[in-house]
Amino acid sequence: MNILLDGRPEEALRIHAYMLRGGYQGLKRARQTPPQQVIEEIKSSGLRGRGGAGFPTGLKLSFIPQQEDTPRYIICNLDEGEPGTYKDRTLCEHVPHKLVEGLAICAYAIQATQAFIYCRAEYPYLVDVLKQAINQAKQENLLENLDIELRMGAGAYVCGEESALIESIEGHRGNPRFKPPYPAGQGLWQQPTVVLNVETLCNVPFILREGADAFSSVGTPDYPGTKLITLNGDVEHRGCFEVTTGTPIKEIIETVGGGVRQGRALKAIQVGGSSGGFLKASQIDTPLDFAALQKAGGSLGSGAILVLDETRDMVDLCFNIADFYRKESCGKCLPCREGCYRGWQIIRKIQQHQANQQDVENLFLLLDVMKETALCGLGQSFYLPIQSCITLFEEEFQAKLRTEVGGGERIS
Amino acid sequence: MPFDHFLTRRILKSTYVCEVKILAGEAGTDYKPLIEPYRQMRGGIIEALHALMRAYHFIPPKALKDLAKAFRMTEAEVYGVASFYSYFTTKEQGAYVIRVCRSAPCHLENAQGVMELLEKELGIHAGQTTEDGKFTLEWTECVGQCAHAPVYTINREPVTEPKNVFSEQIPLLLEQLRQN
């Protein structure tokens, strides 16, 4: 079932073709009902944020105070920095009008007249596409009093975190804020703000057009709808695909992905990009669902699926992930700034056959502390990939450890 | 596998790659006209920095002072913003900035080999600029082209697929860019 990717890419900027497919009818329907009811409709659809955290979208919109005199903002998060993820780029290239419509519906729901699209610096080619789509919608008088402004990021993974993104639009360093206050109360320029992922927004037109029930009947009850996944690594067919939630990952790899490349055996998968947990080959019956993946020790995250065949070196990959975190930590809070660096150091030591068992224990202690105390999702999510990688592939890590006693010191 | 000949054409036609006329940022240069359009925009400093990067490929020291005045910030704050983001730099860069992706999907497809090849071709190491000021080579994180890993970008225009990235045509492409 295609809720999101239903258009041909060559028709991306033909607004009339989009309208013939039912485009902008959701917006029309939304405007015929009071804003509060639009929020209720999204709430009852069960739509949850597609950026990674999975927060219920309707609930997020309902946190915006209702009185009309204060300015409020809606921001579309097009800063998909998660390694292995390019679903938002695909959506902007294929169905830019869906994004504009979703943005207009949510703006109406919270009575915002100013919207921002925060596009990451790596996607300069999307700027033209989005500007054209916005202009076409304006020419058709679809946006009424809504102004959509495009802002460019400048290369910072942490700016995908909503409060860091807000800081960046304000013209500051992209450091996350302490919460509370949450953006719904004091966001952009201290005004009520809602930040939504591109994929989340692209789901909204369908909900308003076909009704909440039509949406919630697709996929699993807990995380209804479809999910865009980006299949990478050792599969025959890589790419961005739309999958109904609840589909077993095994089926995705075998049917959509065409199986593991060169007929090799599957070793592991990592769902959710570099901040997601690893799953062993024996766990790939797990359905593509938020709760089920969490239960299995992974996460759905952004929907990136990295497939690893039997030849892959897990210690090397683990080091690569730690290196990513070390470079992308913004440095605002100590647990992440120092923790990512120390964690990276220990994993490098393991890779160079210099570490012993005590180092590994220290690493786990460090991961626990970071998970509990880091300021934002970046530092907290360092835990999952590293911990799951070392736990699931213990023998590979053990093989690289020094056995003699002494050397590493206990840090607690 | 054959090299994708559209690639050379795409790279050479790309507005991000070729509409680069790097201006020399010198001590006496007045950066205010470039900054002016963004002065009234809330949070416009990021856009102003982008404009400076487009024109000079780096943020010259005097531009930091001009930005501070225009946006009523301290120079330290401006430097803080300019140094935070990886696409802004206060160090001079080449006309073509080549960024090799090192995130997990590209790492698995031999990103290290891609970097070594480019290092050999350009005669510089990651993080350096060629003496003629034409090329800067550096590592970057995911550029969102993982289906076609390994990937590098030339002034943000992606070069993808092993057949292109490791092609014998790459030195020719680099030479064409050098002559440009």
Side-chain angles (χ1 to χ4, degrees):
Chain A
M1 167 140 193
N2 281 340
I3 291 176
L4 299 164
L5 293 175
D6 59 356
R8 290 191 312 222
E10 59 272 22
E11 282 188 342
L13 283 170
R14 292 195 196 139
I15 188 168
H16 294 115
Y18 177 65
M19 286 165 92
L20 278 174
R21 297 201 307 267
Y24 288 106
Q25 275 174 23
L27 178 62
K28 209 173 139 198
R29 236 203 92 203
R31 289 216 172 108
Q32 286 162 355
T33 56
Q36 195 55 42
Q37 211 172 312
V38 177
I39 296 179
E40 286 307 320
E41 186 91 23
I42 297 172
K43 250 190 198 169
S44 64
S45 76
L47 174 65
R48 293 172 64 174
R50 282 348 191 206
F55 194 82
T57 307
L59 201 58
K60 202 182 221 181
L61 292 169
S62 71
F63 289 153
I64 301 289
Q66 285 296 309
Q67 64 274 37
E68 278 179 28
D69 46 346
T70 54
R72 62 266 323 273
Y73 302 102
I74 179 158
I75 301 173
C76 165
N77 185 347
L78 176 47
D79 190 76
E80 55 170 358
E82 193 61 59
T85 312
Y86 41 94
K87 64 183 177 72
D88 296 342
R89 169 174 67 81
T90 310
L91 280 170
C92 291
E93 283 170 348
H94 287 238
V95 284
H97 278 293
K98 207 161 263 190
L99 171 61
V100 175
E101 188 185 356
L103 202 52
I105 294 170
C106 291
Y108 172 76
I110 62 161
Q111 294 290 289
T113 54
Q114 178 70 57
F116 290 93
I117 299 178
Y118 185 84
C119 176
R120 70 189 296 227
E122 285 82 351
Y123 296 162
Y125 34 84
L126 291 184
V127 173
D128 272 353
V129 180
L130 291 171
K131 276 192 177 154
Q132 277 189 53
I134 294 165
N135 280 335
Q136 287 173 355
K138 262 190 197 149
Q139 272 167 12
E140 299 284 330
N141 277 327
L142 293 162
L143 297 184
E144 293 185 357
N145 61 349
L146 177 68
D147 182 41
I148 304 177
E149 201 179 307
L150 239 118
R151 288 291 178 96
M152 291 305 282
Y157 172 65
V158 72
C159 286
E161 199 276 343
E162 56 179 2
S163 64
L165 191 156
I166 288 169
E167 285 286 322
S168 182
I169 293 182
E170 289 183 357
H172 305 136
R173 291 164 69 87
N175 288 334
R177 292 175 179 172
F178 288 95
K179 292 178 191 175
Y182 291 93
Q186 294 172 34
L188 190 60
W189 295 300
Q190 300 304 312
Q191 302 299 335
T193 304
V194 63
V195 184
L196 294 168
N197 177 263
V198 173
E199 191 186 344
T200 315
L201 285 167
C202 286
N203 272 304
V204 172
F206 178 89
I207 295 168
L208 267 290
R209 193 180 72 227
E210 309 287 334
D213 294 340
F215 183 82
S216 57
S217 64
V218 180
T220 59
D222 178 55
Y223 194 89
T226 58
K227 179 85 190 82
L228 286 190
I229 55 142
T230 48
L231 209 47
N232 307 308
D234 305 316
V235 279
E236 287 289 346
H237 312 297
R238 296 182 199 157
C240 180
F241 307 100
E242 184 170 358
V243 176
T244 307
T245 59
T247 313
I249 292 170
K250 187 178 175 176
E251 199 182 310
I252 296 172
I253 294 171
E254 277 166 13
T255 56
V256 185
V260 181
R261 246 193 322 187
Q262 295 170 348
R264 291 205 179 114
L266 181 72
K267 181 176 199 173
I269 55 167
Q270 187 188 22
V271 187
S274 281
S275 65
F278 285 89
L279 295 179
K280 272 200 149 172
S282 55
Q283 291 172 293
I284 61 163
D285 285 327
T286 313
L288 189 83
D289 171 54
F290 202 81
L293 275 161
Q294 235 166 21
K295 214 177 134 203
S299 67
L300 178 59
S302 64
I305 301 180
L306 183 66
V307 179
L308 301 159
D309 73 25
E310 53 192 337
T311 62
R312 298 300 184 183
D313 178 355
M314 300 308 285
V315 182
D316 179 55
L317 185 60
C318 188
F319 177 69
N320 178 270
I321 292 167
D323 202 24
F324 171 76
Y325 276 91
R326 178 182 67 101
K327 285 178 179 145
E328 291 298 335
S329 173
C330 81
K332 176 165 175 165
C333 77
L334 181 118
C336 176
R337 181 180 67 233
E338 196 66 13
C340 290
Y341 183 75
R342 296 297 173 192
W344 169 83
Q345 253 185 343
I346 296 175
I347 296 163
R348 188 180 59 172
K349 229 173 138 185
I350 298 173
Q351 202 188 21
Q352 294 170 345
H353 299 263
Q354 297 292 318
N356 59 21
Q357 191 58 41
Q358 188 61 56
D359 287 315
V360 178
E361 276 165 36
N362 287 345
L363 177 60
F364 277 110
L365 189 63
L366 179 70
L367 291 174
D368 278 338
V369 172
M370 286 175 72
K371 189 183 167 196
E372 299 299 327
T373 60
L375 173 61
C376 81
L378 197 157
Q380 290 160 9
S381 64
F382 186 62
Y383 174 88
L384 194 57
I386 308 293
Q387 187 266 356
S388 63
C389 189
I390 299 180
T391 317
L392 292 178
F393 303 96
E394 206 188 343
E395 65 283 15
E396 276 182 56
F397 284 83
Q398 286 292 343
K400 295 206 170 193
L401 293 186
R402 276 157 51 138
T403 44
E404 68 264 42
V405 193
E409 281 169 40
R410 202 174 149 73
I411 54 168
S412 59
Chain B
M1 252 192 286
F3 180 74
D4 178 359
H5 283 281
F6 289 110
L7 181 81
T8 321
R9 219 159 61 190
R10 180 163 58 84
I11 297 286
L12 291 173
K13 274 177 79 182
S14 161
T15 47
Y16 325 113
V17 178
C18 291
E19 280 180 14
V20 190
K21 291 277 176 290
I22 296 204
L23 307 165
E26 281 149 19
T29 316
D30 186 9
Y31 299 99
K32 288 186 202 91
L34 250 178
I35 298 170
E36 188 52 35
Y38 309 102
R39 209 165 58 87
Q40 298 299 328
M41 184 193 254
R42 289 183 95 180
I45 187 168
I46 304 269
E47 297 295 325
L49 285 164
H50 273 301
L52 285 162
M53 285 301 295
R54 277 195 293 273
Y56 299 96
H57 266 209
F58 83 114
I59 312 293
K62 168 135 187 311
L64 292 175
K65 288 190 206 298
D66 288 349
L67 284 165
K69 263 194 209 125
F71 291 95
R72 291 195 202 137
M73 292 161 82
T74 64
E75 274 179 56
E77 282 171 323
V78 174
Y79 180 77
V81 177
S83 58
F84 183 85
Y85 299 94
S86 62
Y87 280 73
F88 298 149
T89 172
T90 51
K91 223 173 77 181
E92 283 188 62
Q93 280 187 314
Y96 304 102
V97 182
I98 302 183
R99 295 185 174 92
V100 183
C101 176
R102 55 161 294 283
S103 288
C106 284
H107 175 73
L108 294 174
E109 297 297 323
N110 196 10
Q112 189 62 44
V114 178
M115 180 54 99
E116 279 162 19
L117 190 84
L118 288 168
E119 283 180 335
K120 206 181 107 213
E121 280 312 320
L122 298 171
I124 49 172
H125 290 293
Q128 294 179 333
T129 302
T130 52
E131 264 176 28
D132 60 3
K134 285 286 185 186
F135 295 99
T136 295
L137 186 60
E138 59 187 36
W139 285 112
T140 190
E141 297 302 340
C142 191
V143 294
Q145 299 285 346
C146 325
H148 314 290
V151 183
Y152 60 82
T153 60
I154 303 179
N155 289 1
R156 303 199 215 178
E157 189 70 38
V159 178
T160 59
E161 307 270 355
K163 65 170 184 182
N164 297 325
V165 167
F166 293 111
S167 164
E168 287 163 4
Q169 306 279 331
I170 289 296
L172 295 176
L173 174 65
L174 294 178
E175 194 47 46
Q176 253 174 308
L177 289 174
R178 206 187 288 270
Q179 307 281 319
N180 227 352

